[in-house]
Amino acid sequence: MAQDHKEYISNIYDEEEVVKKYYNKTVLDILELWSSCASATVDLMIPLVEQYWENQSEFEQLAKKISNTCSACVKFTAMTVNLTEHPIPENCGSDVKEKATQEMNNTADTLSRLIQAVIKTSLKVSEDSLLDMAMWLLFSIHHVAQNVLQPKDKPTTDKEEEGTKETEKEKKDPEPVKESTDVTASLNNLLTQLDALQMELSNQYVIEKNEQNTEGGETDDSCKNDQQAINKLANVYTGVVDKICENGKVTVCIDDPNGSDATIYYKPDVYIEVANCSLGSCPMRDRDTWLDEIPLTSDQVLVSDVYVVRNGPLRTSAEVEIDFTYVPLSSTKNKTIKVIAKQDGEWKEVETVNEESDESSAHLSFKTKCLEAFTAYVEILSETCEVTPEETTFTSEVNPDVKVIFSPGLVAETKQIKIKVIPYDAREVANLKEQCPDSVRGIMAVSDAVEIRMDGECDDTKNISVQVSMDDEEDQDSQLVVIRFKEGKVQVLDKSQCRLKKDRNLFLVETKGVWGIAVARIRKIFLNMRDTVKKEFQLIFGLVQLCNICTFIDDSQRNKEEGSFFVWIECIDKNMIRDDVENKEKAGLIEVKQSRSKDITLRQKQTLILKVDGQVKLRLADPPDAFKITYLIGADNHVNIPMEVHRDQEKIPYAAFAFYEEDCAHPFHSVNIPVRDLSELPTDEITAKTFNKNNESNNLREQMKQKEEAARKMLSHDSIMNLSRVLSERDGRMLGVQLGVSESWTANAKDECDGDILRTNFRVLCEWRGKAARAAMVDFLISSLKTVGRIDLANVVSEVYKNGRGLSKLDFD
C-alpha cells in the first residue's frame, strides 16, 4: 500500500512538472518558432514578388512551398498555443503573455513588410500563394491576440458555474487594470497596411482614401491602447479574409492525399474544426453499400464518384466550400445536374450548386457546415402516361414527333407507364468517333431512343406502335433496322422481323410487348454483325461505356529482395486511357506489358469480380476471397492490392488475376505474370503471359487473335485477286449486291476498267472489304458465295481460312 502511494505521489509530481515545463518552456519556444518562421518565409517571398514575379509560372511551385511552410507553422501554433482552451494553472508562473507580445509585434511587422511589397508590385488576385500567406499570418496574429494575450472565458458546466459564483463572493473587488500599449504601435502600422490591401483587392488605390480626408489634414484614427488595437484588428481581420475569398478560391484547402479530385476550401478560423477531416472517393469495397443507400430514382444517373468525409462527420461553425469534379454532359433542356449530400444522417438535395468547366475538367462546388458524404447526378426527366385497357395514345411534350400507341388489351387495368425520350446527340457521337475511331462504324444515323417502363404484368402478345423521327438519306449500301431494348437487353430487327413504315422523316414501328424503341440506318454489311450494332447503340446513348482493364505495378513500393509489391488494377474509360497511363507512369505506376484487356463495355454500377491465384499471397490481415470493382462512369475505378511472392507447387506457376462478371463462371479477361519477372526484372520489363489452366494449345483469346490474323490474310489484295479470277461477270455483280455494293457502283467500276471482268470483280471486293479486314467479314463472304450459288467457291474459302492463309491460284485448280 505504501509503495502504491509513493507511485501516486510521484505521478502527480511528474504531471505538475510536465505542465510547468509546457508553459515555461515549450509554449515560449513555439511562439518564437512562429515568429522566426514568419520572418524567414517572408524574407524569401519578397524577392520573388519584387524581382521575379514577371516569370510567375517559373517560380509558382517555389512560392507555393514557401507559403505552405508558413501556413504549417501557423497551424501548429494555433493548435498548440490557446490559453482560452488551456488556461495557465494558478500555481504555474509563466512568461507566455510577455513572449506572445514580443513575437506578435515581430510577426505584425513581418506581415506589414509583405503587404508593402505586394502593393508596391500591384498585386494580381491570381497570385494565390501570396494571398494564402498573408491570410495565414493575419490569422495567427488574430489568434494570439484573442486566445493568448486576452483569452476568452472557457465555457463552464453548471457545477463549475456555481463554484465560480461562490469563489467570486469571497474575492475582493479587483484593482483597476492599467492601460497597456505594448502592441499598439505594431498593430496600428499593420492596420494601415491591411486597409491598403483591401483597397488594392477592390481595384482602388490608397490615394482615394486621402481624398476623403478633411482639408485640415489627415484624420488620425489610430488606436490609443492595446485593447482598442486588438478589437479593431478583430473587425478588420474578418473584412480582409472575406475580401480575399471574394476574389476566388485560394489554396487554403484540404486535398485528398490519395489523389481524388475533391477539396475542402475553408477560412483559417475553422482550421481547428476541419484539421482532422479529409475528402475522398469512398473505398471500393464500400461502394456497393453507398450506392444502395443513396435515394436515386430510375431517372437519376450518377455523374461523379461518391465522396465521403474521412474522420468525419464534418461540422464547422462557419461555412466551408466543397469542390469536386464530375463528368460533363452536353447541355440539353431536359438534363439538370444536381448534388445530393448526407447531412446529420439524412440525404438531402443541395440547394445552391455552382458549376465551372474548361477544356480539361468540370467542377461543381457548394457550401455547407455539416457533411458526411455527397455525389452528383443528372436527371433525365420521364413523362407519365396513364394506359387503360382501351387503346391509348401518348404524344411526348419533349419531342412532339414521338408518339406511342398502346393496343387494346395490353393491360388488364389502368396503369401508369413512364416514357423517357433519350435524345440523339450528334456532337457527343462526333467526339466519341474522334477519341475512339473504331467505336461507331455500322450505325450511320439513328433516331431518338424512346424508353418505355411499366411495373407489373402486361399481355406480350399485344402490339404497341412507336413513332420517331430521324434525318434519313436513303442509300442502297445501307438498310433501316429497328433497335428495341429493355432491362439491359438489346435486339436489332430487320424489316423481315417487324413492321416499319416511313413517311418522310417519320418512322412508325409496330412490335409486340413493351419495349424501348429506336430506328437506325446501318451499313448492310453489319446485318451479319448485329452484336456490333447493339454495342454501338448503347455507346451512342450512354447506356454503356467503352473501357479497358489495365494492370500496373507500383515501382515506388516494390521490394525485389522481399518479393513484395503493389498491384494497381483499374477500369479506365477508353477515351481517357492514353493520358491516364502517361500520368500514372509519371507517378511510378508502370503498366504490365501485354496485360491490357480488349475493349469492353460496362454499364453504370456494374460489378466485376477479381480473383487472385498462383504463386502470390495477399499482404492483408483479413484477405478477401475476391475483390470487387463497381464501375461508375468517370470515377475512380481501381483496386490497389498489396502482395508478395509465395511459391506453392500446388498452384499455377504465375501470379494470376482473373476477371468475372457477376454470376458468371468463366473469366472474360485474365492476366498471368511470371514469378521470375516479379522477382528479378525491372518494373518496366514485366510482361504478362498467355496461360491455359487445362494445358490446351491456345485459350479463347489466342484463338481470336489467330482468327483475326487469318482474316487479314484471306482478305489481302493477293487473296481476293485470286478469288476475282474465278468469278464470272454475273457472279461478281450478284456477289457485290449480296455484300452491300450496289449494281450502279459495279457498273461504274466496269466502265472505268474498260469492261475487264477480273479488274471489275477485284474492285468490287476491295470496295466491300474497306480499309480493315475482320473475322466476321470472312464468314459473311462465305455465306454470300453460297447465296449466289457458288457453294464450290465457298467451300474453298472456308477450307483455306481454317488453315490460316490466303487464297492462291492452286486452290482453284
Side-chain angles (χ1 to χ4, degrees):
M1 180 67 74
Q3 181 66 28
D4 292 342
H5 180 69
K6 286 182 180 180
E7 290 181 2
Y8 175 72
I9 296 297
S10 177
N11 289 337
I12 293 177
Y13 175 77
D14 291 344
E15 184 177 342
E16 289 178 352
E17 286 299 313
V18 169
V19 171
K20 286 181 180 180
K21 185 177 180 181
Y22 172 75
Y23 285 104
N24 291 325
K25 175 64 176 171
T26 305
V27 169
L28 305 185
D29 290 344
I30 292 173
L31 289 169
E32 186 173 350
L33 174 65
W34 161 56
S35 173
S36 301
C37 183
S39 178
T41 52
V42 168
D43 287 343
L44 287 170
M45 186 67 84
I46 286 178
L48 287 181
V49 175
E50 292 181 338
Q51 300 177 35
Y52 303 110
W53 210 253
E54 289 183 359
N55 300 320
Q56 178 184 347
S57 59
E58 182 179 347
F59 294 96
E60 184 177 354
Q61 290 300 318
L62 175 58
K64 188 172 183 180
K65 288 180 180 179
I66 295 172
S67 177
N68 288 344
T69 302
C70 178
S71 65
C73 189
V74 169
K75 294 171 185 177
F76 176 64
T77 305
M79 292 287 285
T80 55
V81 183
N82 189 330
L83 300 189
T84 298
E85 292 292 327
H86 308 287
I88 302 174
E90 293 180 0
N91 62 346
C92 181
S94 175
D95 298 326
V96 170
K97 291 194 177 183
E98 290 78 2
K99 187 68 171 178
T101 299
Q102 175 188 342
E103 304 303 345
M104 191 175 83
N105 284 332
N106 293 338
T107 306
D109 293 340
T110 298
L111 178 55
S112 295
R113 288 193 295 115
L114 177 64
I115 295 174
Q116 287 173 352
V118 166
I119 294 175
K120 182 179 177 181
T121 54
S122 298
L123 173 73
K124 299 176 182 178
V125 298
S126 63
E127 294 163 4
D128 295 342
S129 297
L130 290 175
L131 295 175
D132 288 354
M133 196 168 177
M135 187 156 59
W136 277 111
L137 287 176
L138 179 57
F139 163 69
S140 66
I141 295 168
H142 172 65
H143 170 80
V144 171
Q146 296 294 320
N147 296 304
V148 180
L149 294 184
Q150 293 185 333
K152 301 178 283 293
D153 291 335
K154 186 177 180 180
T156 58
T157 62
D158 294 340
K159 290 183 179 180
E160 290 173 340
E161 193 171 344
E162 290 176 7
T164 303
K165 289 179 180 178
E166 292 176 2
T167 305
E168 288 176 350
K169 290 179 182 179
E170 298 173 359
K171 287 184 178 179
K172 296 179 180 180
D173 294 335
E175 296 180 3
V177 180
K178 295 180 181 180
E179 288 190 350
S180 171
T181 58
D182 293 337
V183 297
T184 303
S186 60
L187 290 186
N188 274 333
N189 181 37
L190 176 60
L191 289 166
T192 301
Q193 301 304 324
L194 290 173
D195 190 31
L197 177 61
Q198 287 193 79
M199 300 181 84
E200 187 70 31
L201 289 170
S202 302
N203 296 319
Q204 300 173 357
Y205 297 93
V206 179
I207 192 171
E208 296 180 7
K209 182 179 178 181
N210 295 333
E211 292 174 353
Q212 297 172 2
N213 295 332
T214 60
E215 295 181 0
E218 194 174 302
T219 301
D220 183 11
D221 57 355
S222 60
C223 301
K224 306 304 180 186
N225 56 54
D226 288 357
Q227 186 62 57
Q228 288 182 5
I230 290 173
N231 291 342
K232 185 172 182 180
L233 177 66
N235 294 329
V236 171
Y237 164 76
T238 303
V240 172
V241 171
D242 289 344
K243 181 61 68 176
I244 290 176
C245 292
E246 284 176 10
N247 285 283
K249 296 185 184 73
V250 288
T251 55
V252 181
C253 63
I254 298 177
D255 290 315
D256 177 21
N258 295 325
S260 63
D261 297 321
T263 305
I264 305 173
Y265 290 95
Y266 62 94
K267 295 179 182 178
D269 309 65
V270 298
Y271 167 69
I272 295 175
E273 300 173 58
V274 302
N276 292 326
C277 295
S278 67
L279 284 182
S281 304
C282 69
M284 184 60 71
R285 63 179 179 273
D286 300 331
R287 184 176 276 180
D288 280 345
T289 304
W290 281 106
L291 291 174
D292 291 340
E293 182 181 324
I294 300 172
L296 296 181
T297 69
S298 56
D299 289 340
Q300 298 166 342
V301 179
L302 292 182
V303 293
S304 81
D305 211 331
V306 179
Y307 296 99
V308 298
V309 178
R310 303 192 183 105
N311 300 320
L314 174 71
R315 296 185 188 278
T316 56
S317 54
E319 285 186 333
V320 299
E321 186 169 6
I322 308 299
D323 182 279
F324 64 102
T325 58
Y326 74 100
V327 182
L329 298 175
S330 60
S331 54
T332 54
K333 62 183 179 181
N334 61 336
K335 291 182 181 178
T336 54
I337 297 176
K338 298 180 179 180
V339 173
I340 186 171
K342 189 176 184 181
Q343 301 168 323
D344 293 324
E346 183 179 353
W347 287 94
K348 302 174 184 177
E349 186 176 312
V350 176
E351 293 183 0
T352 305
V353 178
N354 297 316
E355 183 178 350
E356 297 178 7
S357 60
D358 53 35
E359 293 181 358
S360 60
S361 62
H363 288 253
L364 296 173
S365 61
F366 63 95
K367 295 182 178 180
T368 184
K369 292 183 180 180
C370 176
L371 187 65
E372 296 174 50
F374 63 92
T375 188
Y377 64 91
V378 64
E379 188 167 24
I380 305 177
L381 302 175
S382 292
E383 300 173 82
T384 302
C385 173
E386 190 174 84
V387 178
T388 68
E390 307 298 326
E391 182 175 289
T392 306
T393 300
F394 164 83
T395 302
S396 171
E397 295 181 1
V398 175
N399 182 353
D401 286 341
V402 173
K403 295 182 179 180
V404 183
I405 302 172
F406 300 93
S407 299
L410 180 70
V411 294
E413 57 185 13
T414 301
K415 288 183 179 292
Q416 295 289 330
I417 291 183
K418 287 190 173 183
I419 299 174
K420 182 193 299 182
V421 179
I422 308 175
Y424 167 70
D425 193 318
R427 185 173 59 181
E428 281 194 353
V429 175
N431 289 337
L432 178 64
K433 289 181 178 180
E434 181 179 353
Q435 294 167 349
C436 308
D438 293 334
S439 58
V440 180
R441 299 172 300 172
I443 295 180
M444 303 168 63
V446 65
S447 69
D448 290 353
V450 182
E451 183 181 66
I452 305 173
R453 300 193 308 273
M454 181 185 70
D455 294 330
E457 297 181 353
C458 68
D459 188 346
D460 288 334
T461 65
K462 302 295 183 181
N463 291 337
I464 65 168
S465 299
V466 180
Q467 176 182 285
V468 294
S469 61
M470 178 179 69
D471 293 332
D472 181 47
E473 295 183 6
E474 292 192 10
D475 185 340
Q476 292 186 1
D477 296 335
S478 64
Q479 184 166 320
L480 288 172
V481 295
V482 172
I483 301 175
R484 64 180 193 176
F485 59 98
K486 67 177 177 182
E487 299 176 354
K489 298 178 182 178
V490 180
Q491 297 179 351
V492 179
L493 310 178
D494 59 35
K495 57 187 178 182
S496 66
Q497 297 171 300
C498 65
R499 295 181 181 178
L500 175 61
K501 298 179 181 178
K502 177 181 178 182
D503 182 10
R504 297 187 296 275
N505 69 326
L506 297 178
F507 299 83
L508 185 65
V509 178
E510 187 175 316
T511 186
K512 294 186 181 297
V514 177
W515 289 80
I517 293 293
V519 173
R521 182 170 288 280
I522 68 171
R523 304 183 194 281
K524 274 187 178 179
I525 60 173
F526 281 85
L527 283 173
N528 283 7
M529 295 182 278
R530 300 195 186 193
D531 285 343
T532 301
V533 177
K534 294 175 188 178
K535 183 185 76 172
E536 292 180 6
F537 168 77
Q538 293 179 91
L539 285 172
I540 287 172
F541 288 99
L543 304 178
V544 298
Q545 190 76 8
L546 201 61
C547 302
N548 296 107
I549 297 176
C550 297
T551 303
F552 304 85
I553 301 292
D554 190 339
D555 189 50
S556 64
Q557 299 192 63
R558 185 176 172 218
N559 188 322
K560 291 184 186 177
E561 295 180 358
E562 296 180 359
S564 62
F565 55 96
F566 278 78
V567 175
W568 179 295
I569 296 175
E570 184 170 1
C571 297
I572 304 177
D573 295 351
K574 187 174 177 64
N575 59 349
M576 301 168 59
I577 198 162
R578 179 178 298 176
D579 293 340
D580 205 310
V581 170
E582 288 178 359
N583 291 335
K584 282 183 170 58
E585 186 173 356
K586 293 176 183 177
L589 290 170
I590 311 300
E591 186 176 11
V592 177
K593 294 180 179 180
Q594 299 182 20
S595 67
R596 188 178 301 182
S597 73
K598 64 179 181 180
D599 292 349
I600 59 173
T601 54
L602 295 176
R603 301 184 307 277
Q604 187 80 322
K605 303 182 185 180
Q606 182 175 346
T607 296
L608 304 180
I609 307 298
L610 166 62
K611 295 183 179 180
V612 181
D613 196 4
Q615 306 297 307
V616 289
K617 71 175 183 178
L618 305 179
R619 291 189 290 118
L620 295 170
D622 185 21
D625 293 332
F627 295 88
K628 293 196 301 183
I629 299 178
T630 301
Y631 176 76
L632 291 178
I633 296 175
D636 180 6
N637 298 294
H638 88 274
V639 290
N640 194 19
I641 309 173
M643 313 187 78
E644 64 182 28
V645 173
H646 181 71
R647 299 186 183 277
D648 186 342
Q649 294 182 356
E650 299 292 323
K651 295 185 177 181
I652 58 177
Y654 294 93
F657 305 88
F659 298 84
Y660 300 78
E661 294 185 13
E662 280 190 305
D663 303 323
C664 184
H666 302 286
F668 66 89
H669 174 59
S670 61
V671 176
N672 304 287
I673 306 175
V675 176
R676 176 181 170 275
D677 285 20
L678 294 171
S679 303
E680 301 175 12
L681 295 184
T683 306
D684 58 0
E685 293 183 15
I686 296 177
T687 305
K689 305 295 183 184
T690 301
F691 174 74
N692 186 275
K693 192 170 183 179
N694 296 320
N695 295 320
E696 296 176 358
S697 59
N698 295 298
N699 63 10
L700 180 60
R701 184 178 178 184
E702 187 64 26
Q703 290 174 7
M704 289 301 298
K705 284 185 178 180
Q706 291 180 357
K707 198 171 182 181
E708 293 295 337
E709 180 62 28
R712 283 190 286 272
K713 292 178 180 179
M714 174 57 67
L715 298 179
S716 66
H717 284 158
D718 288 343
S719 179
I720 59 177
M721 174 61 80
N722 289 320
L723 177 60
S724 300
R725 296 178 191 278
V726 295
L727 291 172
S728 66
E729 180 182 0
R730 176 180 174 279
D731 290 339
R733 186 178 68 255
M734 293 178 64
L735 180 61
V737 171
Q738 191 63 31
L739 293 173
V741 180
S742 66
E743 290 192 55
S744 59
W745 193 96
T746 302
N748 290 334
K750 182 179 179 181
D751 292 340
E752 292 174 3
C753 295
D754 299 324
D756 187 284
I757 296 174
L758 172 60
R759 290 165 56 198
T760 302
N761 290 342
F762 177 72
R763 289 194 60 181
V764 168
L765 290 174
C766 287
E767 172 66 16
W768 161 72
R769 190 200 67 170
K771 295 181 179 180
R774 297 177 300 279
M777 297 180 71
V778 178
D779 295 332
F780 189 34
L781 174 63
I782 293 171
S783 65
S784 298
L785 285 168
K786 292 179 180 179
T787 301
V788 300
R790 294 305 305 265
I791 298 176
D792 57 330
L793 298 182
N795 292 336
V796 172
V797 172
S798 179
E799 190 63 30
V800 172
Y801 180 47
K802 289 179 183 178
N803 294 328
R805 61 179 179 84
L807 296 167
S808 68
K809 292 181 182 180
L810 297 177
D811 292 322
F812 301 102
D813 291 343

